[in-house]
């Protein structure tokens, strides 16, 4: 019965954590539940980056604090043990004399990485670790990838026709081929809110003049990341408007402005690794690569991706720009308003219990 209860309450922690999906990055999503005599007396999640953690919100939700001394705290991720934007949650748990803590999975952040568990045990608290562990890691796949692989979680997304083209061949003055439908456009904007950054190459920016912001979903605009080796993008283009944070990698001499930062790098060697290294240094834990076909194919060829979502319409155009090719089987496939939506996974052993 104890194991069954552990899974039940950690499952609730995961539900709570997921409600803040679009607001806590680069922090992980975390949920916490306090149980006394088989009744939930308090629960909470980490709602916004820089604000109170899940454990603190759950403790604050308990009206009668005396109950904490005979309660069990369930939390989806190891309580932190260091001073960051908030005080250590492990210390808070000890302070309130909570006798038992059940943890979904340990925290891979080197600042924590078992230290929170150690603090609790040294204080005489009974600690159980590894309940629904794979599910807890999967929820925070971006956070775990960032700390394990020392780079952002790389999410590829494109739409293609039924005969395998990502766009028609056109001049810069022509409008792009519309492949996505109303529902899949909305889903794409949802994906934008789930990732800290969004990346495009120069040619796609010049051809489409995109805004790369969130319009069809609720959440934060991602950091716009553009590869513009020769500095060809005009100042009048949307990505240069400074309305949302933008980062442009280039070899050209450019002066940064508010919300528009230029980073000069060498494009001649291993450009993708260079860019992902720079994003890691900036604490960006995920990036959505939306195009174009050449940039997407470069990530695929380098094996530098973790997840890909491919939308396939029923259109037949006969000729155009070939879509990228993934030599992999889809993990999931669904149909959305007549379009196929295939999800591919490539994150290796990140979520296997160790």
């Amino acid at each position: 019965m104890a194991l069954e209860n552990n899974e039940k309450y950690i499952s609730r922690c995961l539900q709570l954590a997921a409600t803040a999906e679009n607001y806590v990055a680069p922090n992980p999503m975390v949920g916490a539940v306090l149980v006394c005599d088989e009744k939930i007396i308090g629960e909470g999640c980490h709602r916004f980056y820089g604000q109170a953690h899940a454990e603190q919100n759950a403790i604050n939700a308990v009206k009668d604090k005396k109950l904490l001394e005979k309660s069990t705290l369930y939390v989806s991720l190891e309580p932190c043990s260091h001073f960051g934007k908030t005080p250590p949650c492990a210390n808070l748990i000890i302070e309130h004399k909570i006798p038992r803590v059940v943890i979904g999975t340990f925290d891979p952040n080197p600042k924590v990485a078992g230290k929170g568990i150690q603090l609790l045990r040294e204080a005489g608290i009974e600690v159980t670790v590894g309940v629904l562990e794979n599910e807890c890691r999967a929820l925070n796949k971006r956070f775990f990838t960032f700390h394990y692989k020392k780079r952002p979680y790389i999410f590829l997304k494109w739409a293609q026709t039924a005969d395998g083209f990502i766009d028609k061949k056109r001049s810069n003055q022509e409008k792009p081929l519309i492949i996505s439908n109303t529902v899949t456009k909305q889903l794409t904007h949802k994906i934008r809110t789930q990732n800290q950054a969004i990346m495009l190459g120069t040619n796609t920016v010049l051809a489409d003049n995109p805004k790369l912001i969130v319009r069809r979903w609720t959440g934060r605009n991602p950091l716009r990341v553009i590869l513009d080796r020769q500095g060809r993008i005009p100042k009048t283009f949307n990505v240069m408007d400074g309305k949302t944070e933008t980062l442009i990698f280039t070899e050209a001499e450019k002066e940064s402005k508010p919300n528009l930062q230029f980073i000069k790098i060498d494009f001649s060697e291993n450009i993708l690794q260079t860019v992902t290294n720079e994003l890691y240094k900036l604490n960006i834990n995920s990036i959505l690569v939306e195009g174009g076909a050449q940039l997407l194919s470069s990530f695929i060829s380098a094996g530098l991706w973790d997840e890909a979502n491919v939308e396939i319409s029923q259109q037949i155009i006969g000729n155009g720009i070939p879509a990228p090719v993934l030599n992999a089987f889809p993990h999931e496939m669904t149909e959305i308003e007549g379009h196929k939506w295939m999800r591919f996974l490539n994150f290796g052993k990140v979520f296997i219990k160790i």
Side-chain angles (χ1 to χ4, degrees):
M1 182 62 71
L3 178 60
E4 182 179 316
N5 283 344
N6 285 352
E7 292 185 351
K8 177 175 72 174
Y9 293 123
I10 291 294
S11 180
R12 176 58 181 161
C13 291
L14 290 171
Q15 289 177 338
L16 292 165
T19 63
E21 182 174 38
N22 304 337
Y23 302 101
V24 298
N27 283 357
M29 293 172 275
V30 184
V33 173
L34 276 157
V35 177
C36 182
D37 296 329
E38 300 304 323
K39 292 182 180 179
I40 294 177
I41 60 172
E43 59 182 25
C45 69
H46 178 38
R47 298 190 189 100
F48 296 98
Y49 175 71
Q51 295 188 12
H53 288 185
E55 299 92 328
Q56 182 178 342
N57 285 329
I59 289 171
N60 289 344
V62 177
K63 293 181 180 179
D64 184 357
K65 296 295 190 290
K66 293 179 181 178
L67 295 176
L68 293 173
E69 296 185 18
K70 57 176 184 175
S71 298
T72 298
L73 172 68
Y74 295 86
V75 60
S76 55
L77 187 72
E78 175 184 359
C80 63
S81 55
H82 66 290
F83 283 88
K85 292 185 178 294
T86 61
C89 291
N91 289 3
L92 185 67
I93 295 165
I94 295 168
E95 177 187 332
H96 285 281
K97 300 179 181 179
I98 297 171
R100 182 168 179 260
V101 178
V102 178
I103 299 167
T105 188
F106 79 98
D107 189 331
N109 185 341
K111 294 179 180 179
V112 186
K115 299 182 185 72
I117 295 169
Q118 182 180 351
L119 277 175
L120 296 176
R121 285 177 171 160
E122 287 176 351
I125 295 171
E126 178 188 342
V127 181
T128 300
V129 185
V131 178
L132 298 183
E133 186 162 14
N134 287 340
E135 290 85 346
C136 291
R137 293 188 183 192
L139 178 71
N140 283 305
K141 56 193 176 184
R142 294 166 178 83
F143 183 72
F144 275 83
T145 297
F146 180 82
H147 287 290
Y148 278 148
K149 298 187 177 181
K150 309 301 180 187
R151 64 160 174 79
Y153 185 90
I154 299 170
F155 193 116
L156 311 182
K157 165 65 179 75
W158 72 86
Q160 66 181 64
T161 62
D163 54 347
F165 297 102
I166 200 169
D167 198 357
K168 60 188 177 182
K169 292 182 178 178
R170 56 190 171 93
S171 66
N172 287 348
Q173 287 72 40
E174 289 185 88
K175 292 184 178 180
L177 176 69
I178 302 300
I179 297 177
S180 299
N181 60 37
T182 302
V183 177
T184 57
K185 284 179 181 177
Q186 187 175 28
L187 182 54
T188 297
H189 280 250
K190 178 184 178 182
I191 293 170
R192 286 183 180 182
T193 68
Q194 294 169 336
N195 292 281
Q196 265 192 282
I198 183 171
M199 179 184 286
L200 284 187
T202 311
N203 291 336
T204 303
V205 173
L206 291 175
D208 300 346
N209 191 18
K211 294 181 179 179
L212 301 182
I213 58 176
V214 176
R215 300 184 301 277
R216 299 170 183 262
W217 202 261
T218 300
R220 299 182 298 184
N221 287 325
L223 166 72
R224 300 186 292 201
V225 177
I226 311 297
L227 305 186
D228 186 18
R229 181 173 186 172
Q230 298 173 338
R232 293 189 290 139
I233 299 173
K235 295 179 180 178
T236 56
F237 269 45
N238 290 322
V239 295
M240 309 287 274
D241 61 16
K243 291 182 179 179
T244 190
E245 193 175 0
T246 304
L247 186 62
I248 298 181
F249 290 96
T250 183
E251 285 185 340
E253 293 291 341
K254 295 281 187 176
E255 183 179 351
S256 295
K257 300 176 181 179
N259 270 353
L260 181 60
Q261 182 182 0
F262 293 92
I263 296 184
K264 190 174 182 181
I265 60 171
D266 183 359
F267 276 69
S268 62
E269 292 185 10
N270 207 350
I271 178 61
L272 297 184
Q273 191 64 57
T274 299
V275 169
T276 54
N277 286 345
E278 289 294 329
L279 293 175
Y280 175 77
K281 293 176 186 176
L282 292 171
N283 206 27
I284 303 299
N285 75 1
S286 64
I287 184 161
L288 169 62
V289 184
E290 282 200 9
Q294 182 178 347
L295 181 61
L296 287 160
S297 296
S298 296
F299 274 98
I300 294 169
S301 296
L304 199 57
W305 63 281
D306 301 288
E307 184 171 345
N309 278 16
V310 181
E311 176 188 352
I312 303 176
S313 73
Q314 297 178 348
Q315 295 162 282
I316 303 290
I317 63 173
N319 190 25
I321 299 173
V325 177
L326 275 173
N327 293 317
F329 291 104
H331 180 74
E332 297 174 3
M333 185 166 64
T334 56
E335 187 170 312
I336 304 174
E337 297 284 325
H339 288 210
K340 291 180 182 178
W341 189 282
M342 298 191 296
R343 180 169 175 252
F344 299 82
L345 300 179
N346 188 40
F347 43 56
K349 297 181 178 180
V350 169
F351 306 113
I352 295 176
K353 185 176 179 180
I354 58 173

